[in-house]
Amino acid sequence: MSIEKNEEFRPKIVAFCCNWCSYAGADLAGSSRMTYSADVKIIRVPCSCRVNPMFILRAFERGADGVIMCGCHPGDCHYTSGNYYARRRMTLLFSMLDYIGVESGRTRVEWVSAAEGAKFSETMHEFVDKITSLGKNVRLEDLRCRNL
Amino acid sequence: MKTEQKRAEMIKEISGVNPLKCMKCGKCSASCPSYNEMDIKPHQFVSYVINEDIESLAESKSLWKCLSCFACVERCPRDVKPGKLIDAARQIVVRERGRNYLLADEIPELVDPDTPQQLLVSALRRYRR
Amino acid sequence: MQEFVEATSQAGDSSHLATARQRESQTRVINRAKELLADGTVARVLGWKAGDLPYNPEPAYFEKEEDFADFVYNGFCGANLSKYMIEASKLEGKTLVCLKPCDTYSFQELMKEHRVDRDKAYIIGVGCKGKLDIEKIKAMGIKGIKSISGAEIEDGAETLTIDTIYGEKTCSYADAMLERCHVCKGKDHVIFDETIGESKETNDGDRFTEVEKIEAMSPEEKFAFFQKELSKCIRCNACRNVCPACSCRKCVFDSNKFDSEQKANVDSFEEKMFHIIRAFHVAGRCTDCGECSRVCPQGIRLHLFNRKFIKDINELYGEYQAGADLEPRTPLTDYNVEDAEPGIVAERG
Amino acid sequence: MQRIGVFVCHCGTNIAATVDVKKVAEMALHEPGVVHAEDYAYMCSEAGQELIHKAIKEKHLTGLVVCSCSPRMHETTFRNAAEKAGLNPYMVEIANIREHCSWIHKDIEEATEKAVILMRAAIAKVNLDAPLKPGESHVTKRALVIGGGIAGIQTALDIAEAGYPVDIVEKTPSIGGRMSQLDKTFPTLDCSSCILTPKMGEVNAHPNINIYTYSEVESVSGFVGDFTVEIRRKARSVDMDKCTGCGVCQDKCPSKKTPSEFNRGLGTRSAIYTPFAQAVPNVPVIDRDACIKFKTGKCGICSKVCLAGAIDYDQTDEIVTEKYGAIVVATGFDMIKLDKYDEYAYSQSKDVITSLELERIMNAAGPTGGHLERLSDGKAPKEIVFIQCVGSRCADDRGKSYCSKVCCMYTAKHAMLIRDKYPDVNVTVFYIDVRTPGKNFDEFYRRAVEEYGVNYIKGQVGKVIPQPDGKLLVQGADLLDNKQILKEADMVVLAAAIEPNPDVRKIATMLTASIDTNNFLTEAHAKLRPVESPTAGIFLSGVCQGPKDIPETVSQAGAAAVKAIGLLAKDKLLTNPCTAQSDELLCNGCSQCANVCPYGAITYENKEVNDHGIREIRRLAVVNDALCQGCGACTVTCPSGAMDLQGFSNRQILAEVDAICR
């Protein structure tokens, strides 16, 4: 594609955001013009508990360099308890990824409320910096998809 | 970068303070025990740094009148902490002079171990003028 | 005692294994099974029948008295029969199933998930003194095996005597045991209608030692380790098919729900993906029965994935043994407001 | 294959200045399924919607992607537009290229690239979209108001007037809230209770209003239109039907040493008490921690003197379960604790007080009978200092980051009232800024200065030092004169920050209403939906949403009531069709999904299935669409992938992932 840049390393980052808190927090970051890297692309899910580990592995498989999941703060879930389940699932998944040698910095969970636009922007800054320093994800990439 | 700009940046870096957070409430000046001795008042320090007029700060009496009591640091509601700015300005002046009057090895014996470290350092800067 | 000996002679000496005296437990199971079949309590018996080699008995149904000629129960009967009860539960009448102590955990976990019907099962808890791994025996250079004695359940002997075409060889029973038996969950059956035979304490290791060793590696070493281990995978699905927790009617890797249908492996990540997902799907439900590692034709130590999850669950959410009870919630379908944050993974280093 | 139309909005220059909208539209045509793409200045305008309508009709579109602002803003607009043109509204996806792109990126090339990727993800999702039909749920025509202050009172009255039954749950023994503690109100100086008590009476008498005082919300379940709420009615120890409110029990009660909550601890009350004389209901409660009968078993005087026989020591807490269609939160505020502000000597001197305490001192029914006096020695003060912004506008964790909004005005009020009643008292106000946006507000403040001679000093106070002679030495700064000021005062009044009632977090959790880091409830949209919580059926009234004064609270209370009435007026609600669905052929019947469902929406049935020729009875998960709220917890728990979420299906999210990582 023509708008593909091939200069310095630009990480691909997928952010899963729950509709009620984090997506709204990202909206607030936008309406407050709090910039963060364009490398972050947000996927809206109803709740952090909708995020299947398969989605995260798939993102890595397809060449994502980092995956971050954002949800309502524990205790503030719109669906009462969704983020509690998500918290356990992600903790175990991240631990497993770490166990097979995927750098733990490539995965992150952050709780961002609808009022925390600044936190959203800061978190994305930090995460992009972290992924940039880790460099390209080669450990989990699917070879077939590289040259699509 | 101009010298004054550089010095202002240096003050922000050393102090870790963002002077733009100041809301000009004056609680620092209200708390300062050396207020009457000072030509530039604690709450004015912020604007000198913002306006990059570090020369005036360096020349001021206030720089050496600050007791480093940290009342302003303690009470500042905006996390601006003019005491830290003053201390940073002092440090810049000392650095520019480039002289030490006391050897580092001599210091521990002279000091009460309960003294807060930051107080000690800023007091040293102040009294070795 | 007298009648058991008689019963043994009735059953005939059809197995490859040695003397009648040593087959006391097997005989008792057979007799009891026949009794229950005869009085109509059960419609069939799920046990192991002798295979074509002295060390590969296989799960089988026994419905008629004459079928029992092939019935065996010895140190090579590692197969966990609880998963077969999913299908057996759909059959008419009760099925008598022989479960070793560790198998009962799987059965209870399946009960919790409504996959097996307790009312359709008559459980005979059979004794176990540790199950044998033929690969370990072969690894000792013992080839051309004709018959093996000492693998019987009641045998007090610590030694296996192996008659090979090159002559008689011996090896220590413990050395030939499956890895899982060295970290055995215990001698007790958690669910049964009756028990036959004694079990032996075989636990002489810590099941998390290997996991800890890997955890201590650098990311590069970890990656290299799993790359090496998993590059052996041929995606035969044996691990999935044998696993009592992997009992989905249709596996996600066979359905189009995640676009993961019939995916061929291109590089080692494909296996990682498969094995991570498989381990994740059984996390909190895996009883650590060790069948996955036992059946892997490539000798991949698949239990290393499951045990990692078990270890994390124990450390983060409190000690948990799947199948130990019938509480409906598993660690992944439960939570505590004070749970650790996912950031703990990075903090632990 | 879908026939997708892509519409790229310029949003004036909001998007177009940073994103090359033409290029985005052009790139859309290369995507699978896209048969139409165009850009327009304002897609949400009538003209923009007309373009969509036309394209749907002319190009026979089966799906839409609108690249515009956040779906939280205009998703409904575009869904409605699609529906008008005969397209299923759930065949519309929004690519958020404003909040998530143009507004946060500066480089045009970079922003355009990202916009294209976001658009691709939306196209990938639409390709897998299926038409959905919302179900219907009924509406219980009854409202619950949590909190009986002026916000709750006004909301309840407005809803009741519209003809719907309302219940008020109030934690304390009487409704009235903070306003009942105030003496006068700014800027008109009318007496607070003179305007509040008639409203309290009205609530009490209203046939549509039922008040639960001394009660708390215990649990909330259900969803918009059909909430089930358990209310704990704490044991009052007084029979509400028998009590005549004569007050004899309170007079005769021998235990009179308990600090009065109503008087902010400045006075005392009896163990059996009504918080204040005009309490509604005028039925006392027994404070069991203070009551001698409850502590020692002896006494029972109140029971003996009660001619109505209303005292009931054996009463127990009672749980009332009620159904509601709408819930209004009106939990109000309290003042922050001042324990982190040692420099103002609040805990060291009785003569350093908060403004709410001053309200009680100035009030004729207060602890001093309305006489302005020092609490330490009862002497009349000559010199009073007011300190503004105590704990407001703080960047550190000692106070609150926000402006409490009401302090500037009530301080002007206090200063004016003191100068009016006691002309010989000097009043000094140390301020950082004086904020008076409001009708007649600045005029009011100027009057305090010009007509009443209140001395306003721009500068904060650094320290208040209690002197041995009982005076208070105030050390402050006058920033305009560049002087440090040392002033001896007899009394210091602190304008402490206000904060949401601490209980609100618990209530928000029960209601699954979102709440911000300051414990203020979050509104559905800061500008356009200021009285609604993002959680459907929950409305916000008063300070629980943000600092505000009485007129603002009353307006918001009315607005919240109107929103609640709008909901109650409906007979049926359309339910979110993005619910979970179980694939019968894949379901194991393992019950794991039911374990995680927060709504109990999943049940199990034995059903006959035909699985590729095999007919058998299986235990299968069944989702109740009316109960399912679409969180998706079950979908991840399901190992076989049988459970999937409509509108956010596994394959759709994976398609988005693929599009982004492409």
Side-chain angles (χ1 to χ4, degrees):
Chain A
M1 201 183 76
S2 59
I3 51 176
E4 199 83 43
K5 285 188 194 171
N6 48 4
E7 303 148 10
E8 84 282 29
F9 168 60
R10 296 287 306 269
K12 276 184 193 168
I13 291 170
V14 179
F16 291 98
C17 288
C18 83
N19 181 47
W20 302 94
C21 288
S22 309
Y23 195 90
D27 279 358
L28 182 61
S31 46
S32 318
R33 312 297 197 274
M34 290 162 172
T35 61
Y36 53 88
S37 165
D39 303 330
V40 177
K41 314 286 189 302
I42 295 171
I43 293 179
R44 182 165 72 132
V45 287
C47 176
S48 51
C49 70
R50 178 66 189 93
V51 179
N52 195 308
M54 300 274 271
F55 303 161
I56 290 169
L57 293 176
R58 173 72 152 251
F60 281 127
E61 185 188 27
R62 292 295 155 98
D65 301 300
V67 179
I68 180 165
M69 186 191 87
C70 301
C72 307
H73 284 268
D76 296 348
C77 176
H78 178 79
Y79 303 102
T80 323
S81 50
N83 53 5
Y84 288 130
Y85 296 118
R87 183 164 66 179
R88 282 198 171 188
R89 290 168 187 162
M90 293 305 132
T91 306
L92 291 182
L93 177 72
F94 293 177
S95 179
M96 178 54 77
L97 289 175
D98 177 62
Y99 181 68
I100 64 162
V102 178
E103 304 89 337
S104 56
R106 291 199 190 274
T107 48
R108 179 165 170 177
V109 165
E110 199 61 56
W111 311 119
V112 180
S113 82
E116 292 175 327
K119 183 179 180 186
F120 187 85
S121 148
E122 277 161 31
T123 303
M124 292 306 149
H125 268 298
E126 276 176 34
F127 192 60
V128 171
D129 286 351
K130 177 78 192 171
I131 301 301
T132 311
S133 73
L134 285 171
K136 188 138 187 59
N137 158 38
V138 285
R139 295 198 174 148
L140 286 175
E141 206 176 5
D142 180 341
L143 296 170
R144 285 172 308 169
C145 302
R146 196 172 280 171
N147 297 317
L148 255 183
Chain B
M1 213 189 273
K2 293 188 304 249
T3 333
E4 282 296 87
Q5 200 181 342
K6 241 187 235 166
R7 289 167 105 194
E9 286 305 318
M10 184 75 83
I11 288 183
K12 286 185 222 168
E13 194 189 321
I14 295 170
S15 62
V17 163
N18 174 7
L20 292 176
K21 289 186 85 175
C22 175
M23 65 170 172
K24 301 179 171 51
C25 71
K27 199 166 179 181
C28 44
S29 282
S31 302
C32 184
S34 303
Y35 184 90
N36 292 331
E37 317 288 321
M38 291 190 174
D39 44 0
I40 297 175
K41 307 300 186 190
H43 70 272
Q44 294 172 305
F45 265 76
V46 172
S47 57
Y48 278 85
V49 177
I50 291 173
N51 298 327
E52 295 170 354
D53 182 5
I54 311 302
E55 196 48 37
S56 303
L57 280 185
E59 302 279 303
S60 72
K61 280 196 282 178
S62 304
L63 207 58
W64 312 106
K65 291 295 175 193
C66 165
L67 297 170
S68 301
C69 73
F70 294 131
C72 52
V73 172
E74 183 65 28
R75 292 183 196 151
C76 175
R78 302 292 308 168
D79 242 359
V80 177
K81 309 183 173 179
K84 288 193 169 182
L85 286 177
I86 296 172
D87 186 45
R90 220 152 39 204
Q91 197 170 331
I92 280 186
V93 172
V94 172
R95 277 189 199 175
E96 285 168 358
R97 285 185 187 151
R99 276 185 296 159
N100 288 324
Y101 292 90
L102 200 61
L103 290 175
D105 294 346
E106 298 168 16
I107 299 169
E109 289 177 24
L110 304 170
V111 177
D112 179 345
D114 291 335
T115 316
Q117 195 188 3
Q118 198 184 0
L119 173 68
L120 183 68
V121 173
S122 59
L124 278 175
R125 275 182 211 126
R126 192 176 114 74
Y127 289 112
R128 72 175 171 183
R129 178 159 68 121
Chain C
M1 180 60 82
Q2 185 60 33
E3 70 177 85
F4 289 136
V5 175
E6 278 170 22
T8 310
S9 51
Q10 275 170 21
D13 192 0
S14 62
S15 89
H16 300 275
L17 302 170
T19 64
R21 188 189 60 80
Q22 294 170 328
R23 274 180 272 129
E24 185 184 316
S25 187
Q26 176 180 312
T27 313
R28 281 169 65 197
V29 172
I30 291 170
N31 288 342
R32 183 68 181 133
K34 283 179 179 169
E35 223 172 272
L36 289 165
L37 265 178
D39 70 14
T41 311
V42 299
R44 70 199 66 75
V45 173
L46 182 52
W48 302 267
K49 76 170 187 192
D52 51 352
L53 294 166
Y55 45 76
N56 66 351
E58 56 198 45
Y61 285 120
F62 303 82
E63 289 179 1
K64 295 187 285 292
E65 183 151 338
E66 56 269 33
D67 295 346
F68 284 92
D70 275 348
F71 187 102
V72 291
Y73 180 57
N74 60 35
F76 287 103
C77 294
N80 180 347
L81 300 181
S82 55
K83 189 175 183 179
Y84 292 84
M85 286 307 293
I86 296 175
E87 287 308 313
S89 293
K90 295 177 190 166
L91 302 174
E92 200 64 40
K94 276 196 183 195
T95 303
L96 184 155
V97 60
C98 302
L99 297 180
K100 304 185 292 293
C102 57
D103 301 342
T104 56
Y105 287 86
S106 305
F107 186 87
Q108 191 148 267
E109 186 64 28
L110 284 165
M111 261 176 74
K112 188 196 289 193
E113 292 167 17
H114 308 274
R115 304 288 282 134
V116 295
D117 188 346
R118 179 69 184 90
D119 297 335
K120 287 286 192 68
Y122 189 94
I123 301 169
I124 291 191
V126 291
C128 176
K129 65 164 192 173
K131 290 290 169 262
L132 297 164
D133 185 352
I134 189 63
E135 297 305 323
K136 282 197 175 166
I137 298 174
K138 286 180 177 169
M140 293 175 207
I142 303 173
K143 304 267 165 66
I145 300 168
K146 289 201 290 190
S147 73
I148 302 174
S149 73
E152 298 73 19
I153 302 309
E154 257 65 31
D155 186 26
E158 305 278 317
T159 320
L160 286 174
T161 310
I162 304 142
D163 184 20
T164 76
I165 51 174
Y166 308 108
E168 197 174 87
K169 311 249 168 143
T170 59
C171 78
S172 131
Y173 192 99
D175 287 349
M177 246 169 17
L178 287 163
E179 188 278 343
R180 71 183 192 207
C181 299
H182 291 284
V183 296
C184 176
K185 282 187 279 292
K187 298 192 291 183
D188 297 327
H189 296 83
V190 290
I191 187 165
F192 57 85
D193 290 297
E194 59 182 283
T195 59
I196 294 180
E198 287 294 307
S199 292
K200 201 177 135 190
E201 199 71 68
T202 60
N203 189 328
D204 58 0
D206 176 30
R207 62 175 171 158
F208 297 126
T209 312
E210 279 181 288
V211 175
E212 279 160 7
K213 230 182 267 170
I214 297 166
E215 284 174 341
M217 293 179 187
S218 71
E220 291 71 27
E221 289 167 339
K222 288 174 182 169
F223 192 74
F225 174 84
F226 280 105
Q227 197 158 36
K228 184 159 172 264
E229 193 75 3
L230 291 178
S231 57
K232 294 187 274 185
C233 176
I234 54 172
R235 270 303 288 282
C236 68
N237 288 336
C239 50
R240 184 184 86 183
N241 295 345
V242 77
C243 175
C246 252
S247 60
C248 289
R249 289 208 165 87
K250 189 163 195 173
C251 174
V252 284
F253 286 96
D254 294 339
S255 84
N256 61 2
K257 289 279 171 180
F258 289 87
D259 295 339
S260 48
E261 188 176 19
Q262 301 303 341
K263 219 162 174 295
N265 306 324
V266 165
D267 75 344
S268 66
F269 176 62
E270 302 293 327
E271 284 85 40
K272 282 196 198 74
M273 168 100 170
F274 172 76
H275 290 293
I276 296 168
I277 292 294
R278 210 188 78 75
F280 193 86
H281 278 180
V282 302
R285 301 161 53 225
C286 167
T287 63
D288 199 9
C289 75
E291 286 285 272
C292 45
S293 294
R294 184 181 71 87
V295 300
C296 180
Q298 297 292 87
I300 302 171
R301 283 176 286 169
L302 292 161
H303 61 268
L304 291 177
F305 285 103
N306 302 323
R307 288 213 188 135
K308 169 62 178 167
F309 277 134
I310 293 171
K311 181 167 178 281
D312 278 340
I313 287 169
N314 284 351
E315 284 173 4
L316 297 169
Y317 312 125
E319 290 284 326
Y320 183 81
Q321 171 61 53
D325 54 47
L326 284 169
E327 283 301 309
R329 281 177 186 257
T330 67
L332 273 170
T333 57
D334 203 359
Y335 65 86
N336 188 320
V337 293
E338 306 297 339
D339 280 342
E341 292 295 329
I344 193 166
V345 175
E347 284 158 26
R348 284 192 306 205
Chain D
M1 192 66 173
Q2 307 275 19
R3 294 178 58 82
I4 299 169
V6 176
F7 301 85
V8 186
C9 180
H10 301 193
C11 196
T13 55
N14 279 308
I15 294 171
T18 343
V19 169
D20 182 347
V21 285
K22 300 266 179 229
K23 173 122 188 210
V24 175
E26 185 195 309
M27 296 294 292
L29 289 168
H30 300 293
E31 293 299 311
V34 176
V35 295
H36 176 86
E38 65 182 309
D39 59 285
Y40 183 68
Y42 290 101
M43 269 343 292
C44 61
S45 66
E46 276 299 325
Q49 294 186 45
E50 191 47 45
L51 287 178
I52 294 176
H53 191 98
K54 216 173 107 207
I56 293 174
K57 290 286 183 206
E58 285 175 7
K59 304 259 175 107
H60 308 291
L61 300 181
T62 60
L64 296 187
V65 167
V66 187
C67 304
S68 61
C69 53
S70 171
R72 294 163 47 82
M73 184 72 90
H74 276 308
E75 189 173 57
T76 324
T77 312
F78 295 121
R79 279 183 174 168
N80 291 343
E83 196 170 23
K84 269 188 209 151
L87 194 61
N88 183 286
Y90 294 90
M91 299 301 294
V92 179
E93 296 294 339
I94 310 288
N96 184 349
I97 61 166
R98 193 177 76 176
E99 281 85 346
H100 292 185
C101 188
S102 71
W103 274 353
I104 47 167
H105 306 313
K106 297 205 172 79
D107 183 86
I108 293 183
E109 200 183 332
E110 206 177 84
T112 307
E113 182 188 344
K114 180 169 172 181
V116 169
I117 293 172
L118 294 178
M119 172 190 72
R120 278 182 185 160
I123 292 170
K125 195 175 178 206
V126 174
N127 261 314
L128 296 167
D129 261 341
L132 300 175
K133 198 173 174 303
E136 283 183 344
S137 67
H138 87 110
V139 179
T140 306
K141 295 187 180 287
R142 185 181 194 89
L144 172 68
V145 175
I146 306 174
I150 181 61
I153 288 173
Q154 188 62 48
T155 303
L157 279 174
D158 289 348
I159 296 174
E161 276 301 299
Y164 298 104
V166 189
D167 291 352
I168 300 178
V169 172
E170 165 60 43
K171 188 175 53 174
T172 67
S174 168
I175 59 169
R178 292 281 162 255
M179 189 173 169
S180 63
Q181 291 176 296
L182 306 183
D183 182 43
K184 301 281 191 302
T185 56
F186 61 79
T188 47
L189 294 182
D190 35 8
C191 146
S192 188
S193 42
C194 308
I195 54 178
L196 177 66
T197 41
K199 282 208 180 280
M200 289 163 63
E202 211 182 318
V203 164
N204 201 23
H206 205 292
N208 277 341
I209 300 179
N210 177 27
I211 310 172
Y212 295 108
T213 49
Y214 208 50
S215 301
E216 287 179 43
V217 173
E218 187 87 354
S219 77
V220 180
S221 59
F223 47 89
V224 56
D226 192 22
F227 294 103
T228 304
V229 180
E230 284 185 333
I231 299 162
R232 175 178 292 273
R233 302 188 71 181
K234 287 178 281 185
R236 204 172 188 110
S237 316
V238 177
D239 188 322
M240 293 196 68
D241 296 329
K242 291 184 188 160
C243 175
T244 59
C246 68
V248 174
C249 53
Q250 302 184 54
D251 290 343
K252 301 287 180 203
C253 176
S255 166
K256 287 204 163 57
K257 294 257 162 63
T258 311
S260 155
E261 294 85 355
F262 185 74
N263 281 328
R264 307 295 294 181
L266 300 183
T268 55
R269 59 160 170 81
S270 44
I272 183 165
Y273 73 107
T274 48
F276 54 104
Q278 304 90 334
V280 168
N282 187 17
V283 176
V285 300
I286 296 181
D287 172 357
R288 294 189 173 184
D289 294 329
C291 173
I292 298 167
K293 170 83 179 170
F294 279 98
K295 284 199 293 190
T296 67
K298 296 182 190 111
C299 184
I301 291 176
C302 49
S303 179
K304 283 169 207 146
V305 298
C306 181
L307 296 175
I311 308 294
D312 178 4
Y313 299 119
D314 299 328
Q315 232 178 42
T316 50
D317 287 8
E318 185 192 341
I319 304 284
V320 183
T321 306
E322 215 27 282
K323 288 217 166 234
Y324 301 99
I327 299 178
V328 183
V329 188
T331 44
F333 71 97
D334 205 339
M335 292 205 139
I336 62 162
K337 292 209 169 60
L338 292 171
D339 47 359
K340 287 180 181 154
Y341 286 92
D342 285 344
E343 64 260 40
Y344 296 133
Y346 177 72
S347 50
Q348 296 157 43
S349 169
K350 280 186 154 183
D351 300 321
V352 179
I353 57 173
T354 67
S355 343
L356 197 50
E357 287 163 11
L358 181 66
E359 290 282 353
R360 293 315 304 148
I361 291 173
M362 303 278 284
N363 190 285
T368 60
H371 297 290
L372 182 62
E373 57 190 47
R374 282 159 51 99
L375 293 171
S376 58
D377 52 16
K379 283 187 191 151
K382 292 287 164 236
E383 208 46 74
I384 299 185
V385 166
F386 285 84
I387 305 175
Q388 300 300 92
C389 298
V390 177
S392 295
R393 307 167 69 191
C394 270
D396 56 22
D397 58 1
R398 296 204 297 168
K400 303 290 176 183
S401 58
Y402 51 86
C403 166
S404 296
K405 201 174 185 179
V406 288
C407 329
C408 285
M409 286 303 291
Y410 70 57
T411 299
K413 173 189 78 177
H414 289 153
M416 198 185 274
L417 289 170
I418 291 170
R419 290 284 297 160
D420 185 51
K421 212 165 160 191
Y422 311 97
D424 60 330
V425 176
N426 283 323
V427 176
T428 308
V429 179
F430 283 91
Y431 70 95
I432 305 172
D433 301 289
V434 177
R435 296 180 166 177
T436 55
K439 194 166 149 188
N440 292 328
F441 281 16
D442 205 61
E443 294 90 325
F444 183 79
Y445 153 59
R446 290 314 308 166
R447 265 172 67 210
V449 177
E450 292 163 23
E451 290 175 30
Y452 291 88
V454 179
N455 182 20
Y456 271 78
I457 296 175
K458 158 81 184 163
Q460 189 54 293
V461 169
K463 201 168 168 56
V464 175
I465 310 141
Q467 300 294 299
D469 62 357
K471 296 258 185 194
L472 298 160
L473 188 62
V474 178
Q475 184 185 332
D478 184 335
L479 299 183
L480 299 180
D481 279 358
N482 224 3
K483 276 194 306 208
Q484 199 175 55
I485 293 174
L486 277 175
K487 195 172 192 68
E488 280 210 330
D490 301 305
M491 229 171 156
V492 170
V493 184
L494 307 176
I498 61 173
E499 65 176 352
N501 191 315
D503 287 344
V504 74
R505 186 157 275 277
K506 205 172 69 196
I507 288 171
T509 302
M510 284 192 258
L511 297 172
T512 70
S514 39
I515 192 165
D516 68 18
T517 39
N518 288 317
N519 279 1
F520 287 116
L521 287 161
T522 315
E523 52 279 24
H525 188 281
K527 278 126 203 148
L528 304 176
R529 296 172 67 195
V531 300
E532 294 158 81
S533 160
T535 303
I538 309 293
F539 305 96
L540 315 175
S541 177
V543 182
C544 67
Q545 177 262 337
K548 49 180 70 69
D549 60 20
I550 294 167
E552 268 187 280
T553 296
V554 172
S555 339
Q556 200 196 16
V562 168
K563 289 287 172 191
I565 293 164
L567 168 59
L568 298 179
K570 291 180 183 161
D571 291 324
K572 293 264 181 229
L573 289 176
L574 290 183
T575 58
N576 171 19
C578 296
T579 52
Q581 282 253 309
S582 175
D583 183 330
E584 295 192 341
L585 295 184
L586 297 183
C587 177
N588 295 325
C590 71
S591 286
Q592 297 222 72
C593 50
N595 283 340
V596 297
C597 179
Y599 303 99
I602 303 173
T603 50
Y604 286 84
E605 280 174 21
N606 287 323
K607 272 187 165 178
E608 193 186 73
V609 291
N610 183 350
D611 189 349
H612 302 91
I614 303 168
R615 281 187 173 277
E616 58 181 5
I617 306 279
R618 288 182 183 172
R619 182 176 195 270
L620 297 174
V622 180
V623 179
N624 180 339
D625 285 342
L627 294 177
C628 176
Q629 300 294 298
C631 66
C634 52
T635 62
V636 183
T637 303
C638 180
S640 68
M643 200 57 99
D644 210 347
L645 188 61
Q646 304 188 100
F648 290 95
S649 72
N650 291 324
R651 293 186 62 217
Q652 283 183 306
I653 297 174
L654 287 171
E656 286 182 88
V657 168
D658 288 358
I660 286 172
C661 296
R662 198 159 104 189

